[in-house]
């Protein structure tokens, strides 16, 4: 559950970033609109994450080994400590920034998922299945961004 909360924090930081871009007075109208679209997309992601969080609460979740949990928690905290700033003046720059950020988040999710596997049965765990879902959604978003780049 704590890991899910940390994923939600990552999404909120993305929303703040895109909202900040959209409120800059000297921003081009195209970049402003695109940043609002990206912020709206993060809102959808947050709704999706909250839905997954509720599913976790409704299920009996397997206990994650403390050493694995500790490393996963550390990775997410390190990711959250990164400062992301952007001075995008064109839609292409904003899409490229967003694409790279989404790829970094996907890499984080894949790293976490890989750490959850100690044997073949671990691929049937709730955490693994939920992360698989999150990875599929993130991969789709990346493909959408690549198609608009």
């Amino acid at each position: 559950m704590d890991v899910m909360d940390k994923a939600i924090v990552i999404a909120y930081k993305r929303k703040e970033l895109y909202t900040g871009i959209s409120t800059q007075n000297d921003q081009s109208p195209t970049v402003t609109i695109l940043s609002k679209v990206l912020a709206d997309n993060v809102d959808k992601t947050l709704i999706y994450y909250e839905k997954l969080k509720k599913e976790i609460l409704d299920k009996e979740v397997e206990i994650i080994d403390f050493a694995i949990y500790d490393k996963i928690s550390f990775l997410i905290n390190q990711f959250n400590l990164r400062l992301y700033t952007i001075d995008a003046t064109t839609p292409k720059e904003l899409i490229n920034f967003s694409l790279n950020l989404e790829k970094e988040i996907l890499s984080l999710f894949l790293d976490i998922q890989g750490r959850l596997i100690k044997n073949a049965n671990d691929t049937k765990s709730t955490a693994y299945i939920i992360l698989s879902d999150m990875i599929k959604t993130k991969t789709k978003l990346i493909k959408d961004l690549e198609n608009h780049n």
Side-chain angles (χ1 to χ4, degrees):
M1 179 61 74
D2 184 49
V3 173
M4 193 73 211
D5 289 334
K6 290 179 184 198
I8 290 170
V9 168
I10 291 171
Y12 273 115
K13 285 187 174 192
R14 287 188 358 252
K15 179 168 171 83
E16 286 175 13
L17 183 73
Y18 295 136
T19 302
I21 293 168
S22 71
T23 59
Q24 292 174 354
N25 292 332
D26 60 342
Q27 201 56 264
S28 77
T30 311
V31 170
T32 299
I33 291 168
L34 181 57
S35 63
K36 287 179 182 179
V37 169
L38 291 168
D40 287 346
N41 191 0
V42 174
D43 283 336
K44 292 175 186 170
T45 300
L46 285 165
I47 290 167
Y48 171 68
Y49 286 175
E50 291 295 341
K51 180 182 160 225
L52 288 176
K53 187 176 170 181
K54 185 179 179 328
E55 286 179 24
I56 293 170
L57 291 172
D58 292 343
K59 292 183 180 180
E60 190 171 314
V61 180
E62 303 83 4
I63 296 174
I64 297 173
D65 177 81
F66 181 76
I68 295 170
Y69 170 81
D70 191 47
K71 183 61 178 174
I72 289 171
S73 186
F74 175 78
L75 289 171
I76 295 171
N77 287 336
Q78 288 300 110
F79 187 89
N80 278 329
L81 289 176
R82 294 181 192 175
L83 295 175
Y84 287 99
T85 58
I86 179 169
D87 189 25
T89 56
T90 67
K92 186 168 183 68
E93 288 174 347
L94 183 54
I95 289 174
N96 280 332
F97 171 81
S98 184
L99 181 60
N100 289 331
L101 180 57
E102 297 300 337
K103 285 180 177 179
E104 287 181 20
I105 295 168
L106 175 62
S107 294
L108 175 66
F109 289 173
L110 289 167
D111 188 358
I112 292 168
Q113 187 182 47
R115 291 172 191 276
L116 292 174
I117 301 173
K118 293 295 178 198
N119 60 55
N121 289 332
D122 290 340
T123 59
K124 297 174 185 143
S125 73
T126 303
Y128 184 91
I129 293 168
I130 286 175
L131 266 167
S132 293
D133 239 12
M134 293 169 70
I135 288 167
K136 285 178 193 171
T137 302
K138 189 63 62 186
T139 301
K140 182 186 178 311
L141 174 59
I142 289 169
K143 286 181 183 175
D144 288 347
L145 287 169
E146 287 173 339
N147 289 336
H148 290 94
N149 194 4

